[in-house]
Amino acid sequence: GRRLEYRPFELSDADDALVILNPSEPVRQEEARAALAWVERGGTLILADDTSALFGAPNTLLEELRFEIAVISYTQIIDTAAPLQPALNQPPVGEVQTRAGRALAPRRDDFAPLLGAPDALLVAGIRHGQGYVYLSATTRPFTNAGLRDPQSAALVLNMLARVPPGGRILFDEYHHGLVAPPTPTDGLLRTPWGWAAVYAALVTGLFLALSGRRFGRAIPLKEEVERRSSAVYI
């Protein structure tokens, strides 16, 4: 696997799969259409997004695929979901830990419902040209914690079954803000360690500036203001 970062958002025929998880930056229309053209030539796209509509970035890929991701209810959480048809069998998939509060809302009929609950579709598959698109309304199966669940790992293996041995899998970091190469100031201005270093430097500078400053007129010593007695002059 490789990361798609610090370079233009471009896909080549040497790339076999692209994984996009909770993009924090908008997926523009030209990027979405370039990705779908790549899928049409035989690529596999895995897109999982469960961010809130208020805080998530606009994702034109969903619009191009005629899908939406909607809140199931403000109180309901789907802890586990089962396969909706026997398509996930390489290896076989059972109950998958999902912790989903959102579900897929399709605006098309030509898709395969793959995983979900009776009242919520969580994972769907779409054939697009020579390639395939997997849409997921939950990202937990793709996280480090989720992959510890054998059923989540089996689900991901099914999605990657189209990738040939030794194929290239790209993980999209471009839409997590890693667009331009980092500069020397990025570490100071964009990381907690950098903020701590800047804060410590400011506090140290303020301390040095104030430690040499007088708080008022200098008070002369008693020996300097005491009048000499006449005996001193004898």
Side-chain angles (χ1 to χ4, degrees):
R2 298 184 181 181
R3 294 183 179 182
L4 200 165
E5 60 185 4
Y6 302 139
R7 62 181 176 88
F9 184 81
E10 296 175 350
L11 301 168
S12 72
D13 292 339
D15 303 320
D16 296 292
L18 173 65
V19 181
I20 305 177
L21 304 178
N22 279 352
S24 57
E25 298 293 330
V27 179
R28 300 191 300 269
Q29 188 175 59
E30 59 270 23
E31 296 167 346
R33 291 180 176 176
L36 292 180
W38 166 79
V39 173
E40 194 169 5
R41 298 194 301 269
T44 299
L45 171 63
I46 300 173
L47 171 60
D49 193 350
D50 57 7
T51 54
S52 169
L54 294 177
F55 303 104
N59 192 336
T60 314
L61 263 172
L62 291 172
E63 298 176 11
E64 293 287 330
L65 291 167
R66 289 181 290 161
F67 266 82
E68 296 178 356
I69 299 180
V71 175
I72 301 171
S73 75
Y74 290 102
T75 57
Q76 183 181 3
I77 296 293
I78 299 177
D79 289 314
T80 61
L84 299 177
Q85 56 176 296
L88 302 174
N89 56 5
Q90 298 180 7
V93 178
E95 292 276 340
V96 178
Q97 296 178 7
T98 54
R99 295 291 299 167
R102 307 180 73 198
L104 296 174
R107 293 186 285 109
R108 58 190 294 174
D109 299 324
D110 55 336
F111 67 91
L114 298 178
L115 192 79
D119 56 347
L121 173 64
L122 297 185
V123 178
I126 307 167
R127 185 176 297 278
H128 189 74
Q130 299 179 13
Y132 209 80
V133 178
Y134 292 96
L135 293 181
S136 175
T138 173
T139 58
R140 180 173 175 78
F142 306 94
T143 64
N144 292 333
L147 288 172
R148 295 190 181 97
D149 172 29
Q151 301 306 322
S152 297
L155 173 65
V156 175
L157 286 176
N158 274 269
M159 293 181 176
L160 298 177
R162 298 173 179 272
V163 177
R168 182 188 298 171
I169 302 173
L170 292 181
F171 294 88
D172 181 17
E173 298 294 346
Y174 181 94
H175 290 103
H176 289 157
L178 303 184
V179 177
T183 63
T185 59
D186 286 345
L188 289 176
L189 302 179
R190 299 185 181 181
T191 63
W193 285 105
W195 301 333
V198 171
Y199 178 77
L202 290 175
V203 171
T204 303
L206 187 62
F207 170 76
L208 293 176
L210 294 179
S211 62
R213 179 180 175 184
R214 291 182 174 179
F215 292 97
R217 294 182 58 186
I219 300 176
L221 298 175
K222 182 178 180 181
E223 292 82 358
E224 296 176 350
V225 298
E226 187 179 30
R227 297 187 59 139
R228 296 181 180 182
S229 64
S230 57
V232 174
Y233 300 97
I234 300 175

